[in-house]
Amino acid sequence: MIVCKSPAELDRMRGACDLVAAVLSDLRDAVRPGVSTLDLDARAEAKIRVAGGTPAFKGYHGYPASVCISINDEVIHGIPSAARILADGDIVSLDVGAVLDGYVGDSAVTLPVGSVPDRAMTLLRVTQEALYRAILHVKPGGRVSDIGHAVQEHVEAHGCSVVREFVGHGIGTAMHEEPQVPNYGPAGRGPRLAEGMVLAIEPMVNLGRPGVRILEDGWTAVTRDHSLSAHFEHTVAVTADGPLVMTARDDDRFGDVLAAVGIETPEGLENRWRKRTRLK
């Protein structure tokens, strides 16, 4: 069952989403060569708990850490470890979830570590563009598959591939709610979008083929062909005025990213994505 949130419930949900955004901004500043993924995990958990929240991922189906940190060919669900040290030239995905005031926020970003090859930067750019293009389709009356179609169309036009085994999802008082939000498929299919729906939209994009496999730790998904993979995610609410990006960060550059792909940011959208106006 798809649960639509009232404006009051969306306001309550903002606490968790703002916390996730703040943690990701803090981790962004901490990513550098020589840092272990366990250090990043501890930093994130401390910030979440100081704010009165709890890490949404820790203990979820037995996941042992607060953040999913995936390096290079790891797609998602990489487990932080003292032995995993970031190196110059890596790309690293940081996926953060937090629970606050009974609601969950969920967001991810993939960052370069030091100086990375041009092909890696292209992968990051294309994946982020795909997310922002998909968010433009979040509006009442649209279909869930409009989102995935926008992702697939953009990604494959740039020679990359979309992971099929993992998808986005509804989110609210539980981390995973209906509906599922695939990152592929034809437009115009699936549930119709309605005011109050909240979706975690999260394209996972490979530089090579789309196939993935799970490592022996039971969590870490890696590309079968060892190609690089990137993951970007935002928690987005459907409102009468269009998308409200609830996990928006100050370092997001919505307008710049859309302009780079030839899309003029609709008037007022940048401010609404950044939550500078209140819901009606």
Side-chain angles (χ1 to χ4, degrees):
M1 180 179 71
I2 298 174
V3 178
C4 292
K5 286 75 176 174
S6 68
E9 289 171 323
L10 291 179
D11 270 345
R12 282 184 62 186
M13 194 169 177
R14 284 181 172 182
C17 291
D18 287 344
L19 177 56
V20 165
V23 171
L24 275 177
S25 291
D26 182 66
L27 291 181
R28 173 186 284 271
D29 294 338
V31 165
R32 61 178 62 87
V35 173
S36 79
T37 56
L38 189 64
D39 287 340
L40 295 175
D41 184 74
R43 183 176 178 129
E45 179 168 350
K47 194 171 182 69
I48 291 170
R49 294 197 184 281
V50 164
T54 55
F57 301 161
K58 196 164 192 176
Y60 186 80
H61 293 297
Y63 185 74
S66 297
V67 182
C68 297
I69 304 179
S70 309
I71 302 173
N72 296 333
D73 67 336
E74 296 172 351
V75 180
I76 54 172
H77 301 163
I79 300 174
S81 164
R84 296 302 306 273
I85 308 297
L86 298 184
D88 186 67
D90 286 341
I91 60 171
V92 59
S93 164
L94 307 168
D95 189 358
V96 175
V99 183
L100 186 67
D101 196 21
Y103 286 88
V104 186
D106 191 5
S107 185
V109 64
T110 304
L111 302 171
V113 181
S115 177
V116 304
D118 290 344
R119 62 191 180 92
M121 290 304 297
T122 297
L123 174 67
L124 302 190
R125 176 180 59 76
V126 168
T127 309
Q128 187 180 42
E129 290 170 353
L131 172 60
Y132 290 1
R133 288 174 65 102
I135 288 173
L136 290 176
H137 291 269
V138 176
K139 53 189 175 184
R143 297 279 190 174
V144 167
S145 73
D146 297 345
I147 296 168
H149 180 72
V151 170
Q152 183 179 18
E153 185 177 56
H154 184 71
V155 166
E156 293 182 351
H158 288 80
C160 301
S161 64
V162 173
V163 171
R164 266 69 165 175
E165 285 85 347
F166 301 98
V167 299
H169 50 89
I171 186 169
T173 55
M175 185 160 64
H176 291 117
E177 297 184 354
E178 293 295 327
Q180 293 191 344
V181 186
N183 294 303
Y184 58 93
R189 307 281 179 86
R192 198 173 290 281
L193 300 176
E195 282 186 65
M197 289 174 64
V198 185
L199 308 172
I201 302 171
E202 49 178 327
M204 289 152 267
V205 176
N206 297 345
L207 199 55
R209 304 287 297 170
V212 304
R213 65 184 179 90
I214 306 299
L215 298 184
E216 292 183 354
D217 62 21
W219 284 101
T220 309
V222 300
T223 56
R224 285 189 176 276
D225 62 4
H226 306 292
S227 63
L228 295 175
S229 187
H231 177 210
F232 283 80
E233 178 182 19
H234 270 307
T235 296
V236 185
V238 183
T239 77
D241 297 325
L244 173 67
V245 183
M246 302 188 72
T247 47
R249 304 181 308 276
D250 288 340
D251 53 69
D252 278 320
R253 295 289 181 267
F254 301 117
D256 292 346
V257 172
L258 292 174
V261 293
I263 297 176
E264 184 177 349
T265 304
E267 185 177 357
L269 186 61
E270 180 94 7
N271 282 342
R272 286 198 305 103
W273 283 23
R274 293 182 184 282
K275 300 171 286 186
R276 288 173 183 150
T277 58
R278 304 289 293 178
L279 292 172
K280 297 177 181 177

